[in-house]
Amino acid sequence: MPRRPRSQRRRPPLPVRDGVGPSRVRVPHGISEGACDGSAADTPATIAGYLTARFPADALRIAEKIAAGEVVDADGAPITARTPCTPGAEVFYYRDPPREEPVPFALQILHRDARLLVVDKPHFLASMPRGRHITETALVRLRRSTGIGALAPAHRLDRLTAGVLVFTVDPGARRAYQELFAAGAVRKTYEAVCSAPPSLALPTVLRSRIVKERGVHRAYETPGTPNAETAVERVPGGAHVRMRVRPATGKTHQIRVHLASIGAPIMWDPLYGAGPAPGTGAGDGSVQHDFSRPLQLLARSLDFTDPYTGARRRFVSERALERW
């Protein structure tokens, strides 16, 4: 079944708590009735059974949360250990945040009005909760520091990339700004320091098809119709290879992949070029990073026409790359 349009999705029945929103789990429509009523082999008959089968490592905590009435359905009613599993059912609950290594860099607010909050994101801080990064994210930090529970990202930056990041303050304005980014109506300018000179003459426009598979860290180029476009020019002067980059599309890791493809990987890139390992285990499930060697990629500026006022908006990062 196709995803429900963003504008038609219901708000979660649980509020943001300490900057973190509830997790949403949906029983797939493709699951058979037998899988939900228990008549199919090795399938759960209850929501509790479905959740513990899907998240076996969290089975005990899920059972405790259900017993405490902390897992609710789409209407906010607590589910019980006997609540039947039905295709399409939605449940919400607060995950226990994983242990996270604190990111020792501050967010800087560049602009705030009734609709937008624009920040200068540091390296290593994720834009929003995902996977093992929950509290150490720009969204949660900002919700906690501003008290704006409805704050939401209008777009994203990679965790390792620093620079300008836009959030919406007013939920009613969220869709208009998110659609600007989705439609490519925002002019983005990045700066990068590369570990080697490019293998071709610049300036140029790189076009290719980039694929990022779920659960796989690296994206890659593959034959086919291009879905990613990046304008690249070299900035003269200095002892390092400096680039100014303007992506026309927003594929995951697009700039990192494109610069690596022309023999100029970004300095200290752990996935696509000359960089340290992404992280080392600390023995407790956390990941430690070398904060002294940030990816040398910065989202320097964003330019767009405001969908409400028609005014030209421009936001510029005040950060500097260490080798720029």
Side-chain angles (χ1 to χ4, degrees):
M1 173 174 286
R3 289 171 60 87
R4 182 183 298 174
R6 188 179 297 273
S7 61
Q8 297 179 15
R9 295 179 200 170
R10 300 173 62 179
R11 291 186 180 181
L14 296 175
V16 170
R17 186 175 70 180
D18 195 23
V20 182
S23 292
R24 168 182 171 270
V25 179
R26 183 168 177 266
V27 178
H29 273 282
I31 196 170
S32 68
E33 292 292 343
C36 284
D37 66 17
S39 61
D42 301 322
T43 56
T46 63
I47 288 289
Y50 175 79
L51 291 174
T52 54
R54 181 169 172 179
F55 307 108
D58 298 328
L60 178 60
R61 283 297 291 138
I62 289 173
E64 291 174 345
K65 289 176 183 292
I66 290 174
E70 297 177 1
V71 182
V72 303
D73 63 18
D75 295 319
I79 71 164
T80 70
R82 297 184 179 182
T83 301
C85 172
T86 57
E90 294 180 337
V91 295
F92 299 80
Y93 66 99
Y94 297 106
R95 288 173 55 190
D96 293 333
R99 184 170 182 177
E100 300 177 60
E101 184 180 12
V103 176
F105 308 116
L107 275 167
Q108 179 183 353
I109 294 179
L110 299 174
H111 172 85
R112 178 175 176 178
D113 60 36
R115 297 189 182 97
L116 294 180
L117 179 67
V118 184
V119 301
D120 212 346
K121 186 185 83 67
H123 293 98
F124 299 104
L125 190 68
S127 295
M128 60 185 298
R130 185 177 183 183
R132 66 174 180 268
H133 304 288
I134 305 297
T135 59
E136 286 299 304
T137 61
L139 178 61
V140 173
R141 279 194 185 183
L142 288 167
R143 281 176 171 172
R144 289 176 172 179
S145 65
T146 65
I148 306 172
L151 202 66
H155 65 119
R156 299 182 187 181
L157 285 180
D158 287 347
R159 184 178 60 84
L160 298 184
T161 303
V164 181
L165 182 62
V166 178
F167 292 84
T168 58
V169 174
D170 178 4
R174 184 177 306 163
R175 181 177 179 181
Y177 290 105
Q178 289 178 336
E179 288 182 346
L180 281 181
F181 285 91
V186 178
R187 180 179 173 85
K188 307 173 185 177
T189 300
Y190 287 73
E191 294 170 357
V193 177
C194 298
S195 58
S199 58
L200 47 73
L202 300 181
T204 191
V205 177
L206 304 173
R207 298 181 181 89
S208 68
R209 185 166 191 82
I210 294 178
V211 174
K212 174 68 166 63
E213 297 176 358
R214 188 180 183 88
V216 179
H217 292 301
R218 289 172 58 100
Y220 60 90
E221 293 180 295
T222 187
T225 303
N227 62 1
E229 178 179 315
T230 308
V232 183
E233 63 179 310
R234 186 164 178 175
V235 179
H240 303 284
V241 180
R242 301 181 295 170
M243 301 288 194
R244 182 171 292 112
V245 185
R246 293 187 174 93
T249 52
K251 304 303 291 184
T252 299
H253 296 179
Q254 175 178 320
I255 294 174
R256 297 163 69 182
V257 170
H258 272 167
L259 288 178
S261 75
I262 60 173
I266 299 172
M267 184 73 71
W268 296 332
D269 189 331
L271 291 179
Y272 303 99
T280 57
D284 58 2
S286 64
V287 174
Q288 294 180 327
H289 300 280
D290 184 354
F291 292 121
S292 68
R293 305 182 74 183
L295 177 72
Q296 293 296 283
L297 180 63
L298 174 69
R300 173 60 70 192
S301 65
L302 293 177
D303 297 81
F304 59 87
T305 299
D306 192 281
Y308 288 92
T309 67
R312 193 68 183 171
R313 308 295 292 270
R314 176 175 169 81
F315 303 107
V316 181
S317 170
E318 297 178 0
R319 298 183 186 276
L321 293 175
E322 294 181 14
R323 294 175 176 269
W324 189 257

